[in-house]
Amino acid sequence: MKVALFATCLGDQFFADACADSVRLLRHVGAEVSFPEGQTCCGQPAYNSGHRSEAVRLMEHTVDVFSGADYVVLPSGSCAGMLRTVYPGLATLDSLRVATEALAARTYELSQFLVEVVGVDQLGDGLKGCRIAYHHGCHALRELGVMSEPLSLLRGAGADVVSWTADRECCGFGGTFSTKLPEVSGAMVDHKLDTLPAVDLVTSSDGGCLLQLSGRAERRGLGVRFQHLATLLWQGVTGEAVNGASV
């Protein structure tokens, strides 16, 4: 099973540990993992900003870079959603549309791949006694339909996944949305944090959401800790303590 890791821009710049832990998790379940060095942005910021030609150029490059992989796995529901749901509609040539559809069919967010393709829901029991709140990123939830997969992996590792009334609500990041409409973005993230139950930490599969939530929580002095799902799951495998976990 040959898997190519797509690190994503935020993974490269802010969540290098999560990318490395994604590789460790994939190897742990028997995958042969590669990291195509030609990878770059998936094109989502350009697409969301209305720069279609730039997004298409990045899409064509991405299709070429990952053409040899059995599966493409991303530690991000947002970027995985770009490849899965947006790419085929961006292609204008029939040949490119076929290539984007083929790429979409073998692209997965990390937890989705582990549960749906590999068929595992337990990677260790090192999270016993840890109270965790999970934030469902919009793209993973609404575009990919990823909802139970990360929760089953966390519970399989022994974590107590605490009910959170706003766990499926948008955090307000939305890429360029947070910079174009900061007041609305701030109100959305404040609402989520206001409803957060007492937990040891908050996790998600999307780096952008974690940056949004953790940044606002720090500004408000809430003292809440945050951790990317990939790193938390790997700690569940190794049994490392998560009490000091932070973004």
Side-chain angles (χ1 to χ4, degrees):
M1 183 165 48
K2 295 181 179 180
V3 176
L5 180 74
F6 194 162
T8 78
C9 298
L10 291 184
D12 177 48
Q13 297 295 319
F14 296 100
F15 294 93
D17 288 347
C19 293
D21 290 330
S22 296
V23 173
R24 295 183 179 106
L25 287 167
L26 292 167
R27 288 175 175 168
H28 181 70
V29 298
E32 178 184 333
V33 186
S34 65
F35 183 83
E37 294 184 3
Q39 62 182 277
T40 183
C41 179
C42 68
Q44 185 177 136
Y47 176 76
N48 289 344
S49 299
H51 300 294
R52 188 181 182 92
S53 61
E54 287 83 352
V56 170
R57 188 160 61 248
L58 287 166
M59 175 189 70
E60 292 173 342
H61 177 75
T62 299
V63 169
D64 180 61
V65 167
F66 290 96
S67 61
D70 294 338
Y71 298 98
V72 178
V73 174
L74 302 87
S76 165
S78 177
C79 298
M82 181 71 179
L83 271 63
R84 284 276 291 268
T85 66
V86 178
Y87 271 16
L90 275 177
T92 54
L93 299 175
D94 289 342
S95 58
L96 184 56
R97 185 175 297 108
V98 170
T100 58
E101 290 174 350
L103 176 62
R106 61 181 191 275
T107 295
Y108 292 86
E109 179 271 330
L110 177 65
S111 70
Q112 182 185 40
F113 178 78
L114 292 171
V115 174
E116 293 186 8
V117 178
V118 181
V120 300
D121 58 10
Q122 184 172 9
L123 294 166
D125 59 2
L127 301 183
K128 286 183 178 179
C130 186
R131 289 172 53 83
I132 294 172
Y134 187 81
H135 163 68
H136 293 277
C138 292
H139 294 87
L141 179 63
R142 295 170 176 84
E143 292 186 352
L144 303 179
V146 174
M147 183 170 64
S148 63
E149 293 89 342
L151 304 183
S152 66
L153 289 168
L154 289 168
R155 291 181 176 125
D160 177 11
V161 181
V162 179
S163 177
W164 183 9
T165 57
D167 62 353
R168 302 179 195 178
E169 293 184 15
C170 179
C171 69
F173 178 61
T176 56
F177 172 83
S178 61
T179 60
K180 292 179 177 179
L181 296 169
E183 295 85 2
V184 178
S185 173
M188 293 171 73
V189 69
D190 277 338
H191 173 70
K192 279 198 74 90
L193 293 173
D194 287 343
T195 63
L196 184 66
V199 292
D200 296 316
L201 56 85
V202 179
T203 189
S204 178
S205 67
D206 270 286
C209 300
L210 288 172
L211 290 175
Q212 171 85 341
L213 290 163
S214 64
R216 187 59 175 168
E218 183 176 2
R219 284 181 67 91
R220 290 176 54 174
L222 299 184
V224 182
R225 295 191 301 269
F226 298 83
Q227 185 74 283
H228 192 284
L229 178 66
T231 294
L232 191 57
L233 291 177
W234 182 244
Q235 289 177 341
V237 173
T238 62
E240 295 178 3
V242 298
N243 290 333
S246 62
V247 167

